Amino acid sequence: MAIHNLRVVSERATPLLQVDGVSLEYRTPERIVRATHRVSFDVHAGDRFVLLGPSGCGKSTLLKAVAGFVPPSEGEIRLEGRRVLQPGPDRIVVFQEFDQLPPWQTVAQNVMFPLRQARKLSRAEARELALDSLHKVGLAGFADAYPHTLSGGMKQRVAIARALAMRPKVLLMDEPFAALDALTRRRMQEELLALWDDAAFTLLFVTHSIEEALVVGSRILLLSPHPGRVRAELNSHQFSLASQGGAEFQAAAQRIHTLLFDEPAAEAAPRARSAAGR
């Protein structure tokens, strides 16, 4: 089947987030390693934008750079036209780890804490917002429970509620469902999409799963193996959880696999010439 619906996304005006020619590096005891090389992309308000690529392509490092934790060695990141120089409450991260909730605080207190610290809300205002967010993720009945009594999936739902309660301009999610079992992962994907339908927040989501990228994302940026370079940017808004198993969905997944892992001719040719000369 022809993959006519996988196409390069056309430009739209006024991006919310701009990543412009960003290279990221980190230092090891032996050398400086380049994680990404001159990566550029735009995220618009209301996008579910997915960074997809194999392990080691720099997608999580890119997310941390957008969050303000990692400074680019080249290029810049702009949010609403202003350069990102440090972390801020306009960009909230949900990590993969379950144990990102302080165990001495109840579920409600975990959600309330950043509201009181960053947004300077009163205790009553923070609790009202916290309970509203917990209701949206189906955990209002666990507001006074402690994290150690929750399952891994429930802890992730608390982390999502805490992030959404802050009303960030961009919600950043770093492989948040990767450690969950298959059934819980599917349920979390359903809940995330339902939350997006309700609030239409802007999402930047990292995954190494092609199927998850197609389900969660409305747009997908494909990154090459280390160091991460842009391979393609594709539309995927036509797919949903109900699409899985269908011929069009499977053909799209195979096309993305080919784009990610088949060596482009432009890169392969110099290597072939070099091999011929040996």
Side-chain angles (χ1 to χ4, degrees):
M1 176 181 292
I3 314 301
H4 61 274
N5 53 355
L6 285 182
R7 58 191 183 279
V8 176
V9 178
S10 61
E11 292 295 324
R12 289 184 284 165
T14 320
L16 174 66
L17 174 70
Q18 296 169 289
V19 175
D20 188 5
V22 167
S23 298
L24 300 168
E25 297 176 341
Y26 60 91
R27 185 180 297 275
T28 71
E30 295 80 24
R31 62 194 178 98
I32 295 175
V33 178
R34 176 155 288 205
T36 68
H37 183 72
R38 296 179 181 173
V39 171
S40 296
F41 60 89
D42 293 339
V43 178
H44 297 262
D47 274 345
R48 302 191 311 273
F49 196 98
V50 174
L51 302 178
L52 173 64
S55 296
C57 72
K59 53 190 183 295
S60 290
T61 309
L62 266 173
L63 192 86
K64 292 173 184 174
V66 171
F69 299 133
V70 179
S73 58
E74 181 180 15
E76 66 178 35
I77 300 168
R78 298 182 295 276
L79 182 65
E80 293 186 326
R82 294 185 293 274
R83 191 172 183 179
V84 170
L85 299 174
Q86 60 188 4
D90 50 7
R91 288 150 289 129
I92 303 295
V93 186
V94 176
F95 296 100
Q96 179 182 148
E97 296 78 12
F98 295 154
D99 295 323
Q100 53 188 294
L101 306 173
W104 59 87
Q105 293 182 326
T106 66
V107 165
Q109 289 168 346
N110 264 284
V111 180
M112 290 168 61
F113 181 77
L115 292 169
R116 300 207 66 202
Q117 295 297 310
R119 293 185 56 187
K120 307 300 181 184
L121 299 184
S122 69
R123 182 179 296 274
E125 290 171 327
R127 184 168 178 84
E128 183 179 357
L129 269 179
L131 292 178
D132 180 63
S133 292
L134 289 170
H135 175 74
K136 288 177 179 176
V137 300
L139 289 178
F142 293 85
D144 296 321
Y146 285 89
H148 74 273
T149 67
L150 306 180
S151 68
M154 292 168 75
K155 290 178 183 178
Q156 283 298 73
R157 285 154 70 187
V158 175
I160 293 170
R162 182 175 61 180
L164 289 177
M166 288 291 290
R167 297 177 181 171
K169 290 173 181 170
V170 185
L171 176 62
L172 309 172
M173 304 188 80
D174 187 10
E175 302 203 55
F177 312 142
L180 300 173
D181 64 83
L183 292 177
T184 305
R185 184 171 187 163
R186 181 183 174 91
R187 183 178 177 185
M188 293 299 297
Q189 291 166 351
E190 290 174 345
E191 291 182 355
L192 178 64
L193 292 171
L195 284 169
W196 183 87
D197 282 338
D198 180 59
F201 50 86
T202 304
L203 176 66
L204 184 61
F205 189 100
V206 165
T207 184
H208 62 265
S209 165
I210 293 173
E211 290 75 16
E212 183 167 69
L214 285 168
V215 165
V216 169
S218 58
R219 299 167 65 210
I220 304 173
L221 190 81
L222 308 183
L223 294 170
S224 68
H226 180 84
R229 295 177 170 87
V230 175
R231 276 279 170 88
E233 185 179 325
L234 311 169
N235 283 328
S236 55
H237 55 80
Q238 66 272 28
F239 297 115
S240 68
L241 281 162
S243 304
Q244 288 183 298
E248 187 178 11
F249 185 94
Q250 293 302 318
Q254 183 56 52
R255 172 61 174 156
I256 289 174
H257 187 278
T258 300
L259 286 168
L260 283 174
F261 297 108
D262 282 10
E263 188 175 39
E267 295 180 14
R271 297 184 190 180
R273 287 196 296 270
S274 177
R278 288 199 297 268

